[in-house]
Amino acid sequence: MAPRSHIAIYKALYKSFGGFAADVVAAIDQAAQDGVDIISLSVTPNRRPPGIATFFNPIDMALLSAVKAGIFVVQAAGNTGPSPKSIFSFSPWIYTVGAATHDRAYSNCIVLGNNITISGVGLAPGTNKDTMYTLVAAVHALNNGTSDANDMYISECQDSSNFDQNIVKGNLLICSYSVRFVLGLSTIKQALETAKNLSAAGVVFYMDPFVIGFQLNPVPMRMPGIIIPSPDDSKLFLQYYNSSLERDEQTKKIVNFGAVASILGGIKANYGNSAPKVMYYSARGPDPEDSFLDDANILKPNLVAPGNFIWAAWSSGGMDSIEFQGENFAMMSGTSMAAPHVAGLAALIKQKYPNFSSSAIGSALSTTASLYDKNGGPIMAQRAYTNPDSNQSPATPFDMGSGFVNATAALDPGLIFDCSYDDYFSFLCGINGSSAVVFNYTGQSCAPSSSDRVDLNLPSITIAKLNGSRTVQRSVTNVAGNETYRVGWSSPYGVSLMVTPTHLSISSGETQVLTVVINATMNNTAASYGRIGLFGSNGHVVSIPLSVILKISNDISTSIGTGSH
C-alpha cells in the first residue's frame, strides 16, 4: 500500500502458547518510543475485561497513549462474525477494520466423465486438457500389506507405503479431506508427496461431511490437484465414482475403475466476482450494552477493506501454516489481512498531510468510503458460515462501518472531522465511577465538570437508545480549497431528520458546525440506518452514516398511535 514506508516489527505473540496483554502493551509502548507514525495491530482482546468498562482493557488504554503521541492506530475487527455485537473492542481512538472480498478469484474445476463440472480450490496446474484420467480412490489402491481398509486415516493419503503403485500410476488419486487437515494432523503437502511417490497424474480431495463451515484458502499444489470444498458436491463426486466401479460378481473385487475426469487447474486468476462483500467471519457491531455506560454511541467497525484471499510475502521458514511451508508467498484470509491495507493507506495520507491528527486520518478514510460494489449495487454482507453466498443481504453500518475503503478518494477528503486526545480523555471521564481508573492509566485527574460525556466529533452518528429527540453537533474542517457544500440526507426508518445549515461556504482551513436534530416518529426497536452527505462544488463528497435504535417512552408511543405527530 505504501511502498516507500519504513516498517518496524514487534513480536509479542507466539504460536506455541499465544501471549498476554502485557506483551502486546509492551510492544505498543516500544513502538511509541521508537517514533512510529502508524500501528497496525492484528490483535484484539479475546474477552471483555471483568469489572470495568469495555474501553479500559489494557491494550486499548496503551493505544490511547499511542494516539496521544500522534500515532494512528489500526486494529483488525476480529474473525468472530457474523453475529451482531461480536466485536470486542469499541474504543473511538482505535480505527477498526473488517474484512471484505475483492474481485480476484482462483477458480479450479474438475470435469467428470458424465459431463458434470464441479468447482473447487487449489492453486494447481491442470491435467492435459485433451485427456480424461481414470479416478482411483485411495481405499481401493491398498497394497497387500495394508490390513484395515476401513481405517479413515488411510483415505487421507498420508503414507505412500500403504498403496499399490501399479494401481495408482498415471491415474487421479482420490483422498479424503477430514477434520484432521483443519487441525494440522494431516496435510495436503503430505498427500501430494504420496501421490508423487505413486506416480499419480494428480489428486482429488473430497470433503468429509463432518467438516462444516470451514473456509479453504487456495492451497498451492505442485502437481494437478483440486479440493472439493462442498460436502454436497463431494457426495455427487463419490456417487459418480462408485457407480462407475465394475466388480466381480463372486469375489466383489474391483475389476475396472470406470470413472474418469480431468482437472482444469486454478493457477490463473479471474475477475468475474461481484465484490466487495463483507465476509461472514468479519466481526460486527453495534456496541454491546455496558453496565458502566448507558450507550457508547460509537460505530464499529469503522470500515471494511480487502481481507479475503490476500497474497502476501511469506517466510519460507514460516511454521504458522503447514500448507505454505517452504513458500515465498502465501494467500490468507481474515480481518488481520484487511487491517494492513488500511495502515498502508494511512501512511500515504500522513505523507500528504503530515499535520493530520490520528482522528483526521481516520476521518479521511471513513467519509470517502464506497457504498457500492463494482456493479453499482449495494455492498452485501454474508450472514452465515454455511453457504455464505446464499445467506446474504445489504450491509449495514454495523457490518461495514462507513463502507469499503476508497484509496484514491481518501487522499483528497475535502472536509475532515477532528478529535483530540483531550476529547477522548473527557469521554472516559464521563463514565460513571471511572475517575480512579482513568487516573490509574493516564496519570491525569478528571475535572468535576466532566461528569457528562462529550459528544465526540466522529465521522458517523450512532444513537443506541433514541427516546424522543436528540440534537447532535459535528464540526467539519476544510483541508482543501475554498468550497461551497450542499447538505442532503436520508432518514432512518421511524426517524425524522433535520440538518442545519443546508448549505455552507467554507474557506480553506476553516471549521464550521453542523447541527443534526433527530426525532423519533414511530416505535421501532430494530436498528435503522440513514446517511448525511455533503456535496462540494469542487467535487468532494463527504458521507456520514447514521445508525439509530429507538427506545420510545409510553407517552410518545401513545401519541404516535393517536396520530398526533
Side-chain angles (χ1 to χ4, degrees):
M1 297 294 101
R4 297 184 181 180
S5 59
H6 297 270
I7 301 175
I9 299 171
Y10 303 85
K11 186 170 181 65
L13 303 176
Y14 296 82
K15 184 174 177 62
S16 57
F17 70 93
F20 303 96
D23 300 323
V24 180
V25 169
I28 293 167
D29 289 346
Q30 187 62 54
Q33 291 179 35
D34 293 343
V36 304
D37 295 300
I38 291 127
I39 288 178
S40 180
L41 190 66
S42 289
V43 176
T44 55
N46 57 7
R47 60 181 179 273
R48 291 159 63 83
I52 58 175
T54 304
F55 313 100
F56 293 118
N57 74 73
I59 294 176
D60 285 33
M61 293 308 296
L63 293 172
L64 178 60
S65 296
V67 168
K68 185 180 182 182
I71 299 171
F72 180 69
V73 175
V74 184
Q75 186 177 42
N79 301 327
T80 50
S83 300
K85 302 185 179 182
S86 49
I87 289 180
F88 285 100
S89 179
F90 288 87
S91 297
W93 51 88
I94 299 171
Y95 202 79
T96 307
V97 181
T101 61
H102 47 73
D103 64 354
R104 184 188 68 236
Y106 292 86
S107 300
N108 199 344
C109 293
I110 182 169
V111 180
L112 305 182
N114 59 359
N115 292 322
I116 291 177
T117 299
I118 297 176
S119 61
V121 299
L123 294 167
T127 54
N128 187 324
K129 62 181 180 180
D130 298 322
T131 305
M132 299 293 278
Y133 293 83
T134 300
L135 291 161
V136 176
V139 293
H140 295 152
L142 304 180
N143 61 29
N144 294 330
T146 304
S147 56
D148 190 357
N150 296 318
D151 187 338
M152 62 175 289
Y153 303 135
I154 290 177
S155 66
E156 297 172 359
C157 307
Q158 298 296 292
D159 185 354
S160 59
S161 66
N162 291 321
F163 307 104
D164 186 340
Q165 184 178 14
N166 294 322
I167 300 176
V168 176
K169 185 177 181 180
N171 298 324
L172 296 176
L173 178 64
I174 301 174
C175 308
S176 66
Y177 189 102
S178 75
V179 71
R180 286 168 53 85
F181 285 81
V182 179
L183 299 174
L185 301 176
S186 297
T187 70
I188 297 292
K189 184 168 288 188
Q190 188 56 47
L192 293 173
E193 188 66 24
T194 294
K196 180 182 176 182
N197 291 339
L198 298 174
S199 302
V203 187
V204 180
F205 295 90
Y206 66 89
M207 187 61 63
D208 188 292
F210 292 104
V211 183
I212 300 174
F214 178 71
Q215 179 178 330
L216 280 166
N217 288 321
V219 178
M221 302 182 186
R222 300 189 184 277
M223 67 186 303
I226 187 171
I227 309 169
I228 302 173
S230 162
D232 290 338
D233 286 344
S234 296
K235 184 177 180 181
L236 189 68
F237 169 75
L238 291 175
Q239 283 176 343
Y240 164 67
Y241 171 77
N242 288 320
S243 66
S244 302
L245 293 174
E246 296 180 23
R247 297 179 182 270
D248 183 276
E249 291 185 3
Q250 293 182 340
T251 65
K252 301 302 180 184
K253 289 185 177 182
I254 298 171
V255 294
N256 184 49
F257 295 94
V260 294
S262 64
I263 298 171
L264 300 187
I267 292 177
K268 291 185 178 180
N270 61 67
Y271 298 88
N273 284 7
S274 176
K277 65 179 66 174
V278 182
M279 289 303 300
Y280 64 86
Y281 54 74
S282 187
R284 314 293 168 91
D287 189 351
E289 293 180 9
D290 196 314
S291 60
F292 292 87
L293 186 63
D294 255 356
D295 298 287
N297 293 337
I298 295 165
L299 178 63
K300 292 290 178 177
N302 293 85
L303 52 59
V304 292
N308 205 57
F309 295 163
I310 302 301
W311 275 118
W314 182 265
S315 168
S316 59
M319 303 295 287
D320 283 7
S321 170
I322 294 174
E323 306 304 347
F324 287 101
Q325 284 182 13
E327 302 288 342
N328 293 318
F329 291 87
M331 183 181 283
M332 297 289 172
S333 297
T335 58
S336 292
M337 313 303 134
H341 281 85
V342 174
L345 296 177
L348 297 180
I349 296 172
K350 184 73 172 179
Q351 182 184 42
K352 183 174 181 180
Y353 302 98
N355 295 323
F356 264 21
S357 66
S358 172
S359 63
I361 295 173
S363 173
L365 289 160
S366 290
T367 61
T368 59
S370 173
L371 303 175
Y372 304 100
D373 67 18
K374 72 172 192 174
N375 298 318
I379 293 173
M380 304 297 282
Q382 297 176 341
R383 305 204 180 276
Y385 281 94
T386 56
N387 301 316
D389 282 336
S390 301
N391 294 278
Q392 59 183 19
S393 59
T396 73
F398 293 145
D399 300 316
M400 66 175 181
S402 293
F404 183 79
V405 64
N406 184 329
T408 303
L411 289 168
D412 186 20
L415 304 176
I416 56 105
F417 297 78
D418 212 352
C419 253
S420 67
Y421 167 81
D422 290 340
D423 294 330
Y424 299 133
F425 180 80
S426 298
F427 168 83
L428 293 174
C429 286
I431 300 173
N432 290 334
S434 67
S435 296
V437 183
V438 172
F439 180 80
N440 181 54
Y441 275 115
T442 67
Q444 297 174 250
S445 298
C446 293
S449 60
S450 64
S451 57
D452 293 328
R453 290 185 293 113
V454 299
D455 204 355
L456 288 171
N457 194 42
L458 303 174
S460 59
I461 297 174
T462 305
I463 301 176
K465 292 180 181 177
L466 177 63
N467 191 345
S469 180
R470 176 79 181 267
T471 300
V472 176
Q473 290 190 324
R474 291 290 188 267
S475 298
V476 292
T477 301
N478 188 358
V479 294
N482 299 346
E483 195 163 1
T484 300
Y485 283 85
R486 173 179 60 85
V487 183
W489 60 86
S490 60
S491 300
Y493 180 73
V495 170
S496 69
L497 204 62
M498 175 60 67
V499 184
T500 53
T502 57
H503 292 80
L504 62 150
S505 295
I506 184 166
S507 302
S508 180
E510 183 184 356
T511 297
Q512 290 195 25
V513 175
L514 293 173
T515 299
V516 183
V517 180
I518 306 166
N519 287 296
T521 59
M522 64 183 295
N523 200 348
N524 176 39
T525 55
S528 56
Y529 310 97
R531 193 161 290 270
I532 299 170
L534 285 76
F535 305 92
S537 56
N538 295 335
H540 293 107
V541 177
V542 178
S543 182
I544 309 163
L546 177 63
S547 309
V548 176
I549 301 174
L550 304 181
K551 183 188 178 185
I552 302 180
S553 66
N554 290 334
D555 291 341
I556 293 176
S557 71
T558 301
S559 63
I560 291 172
T562 58
S564 61
H565 279 43

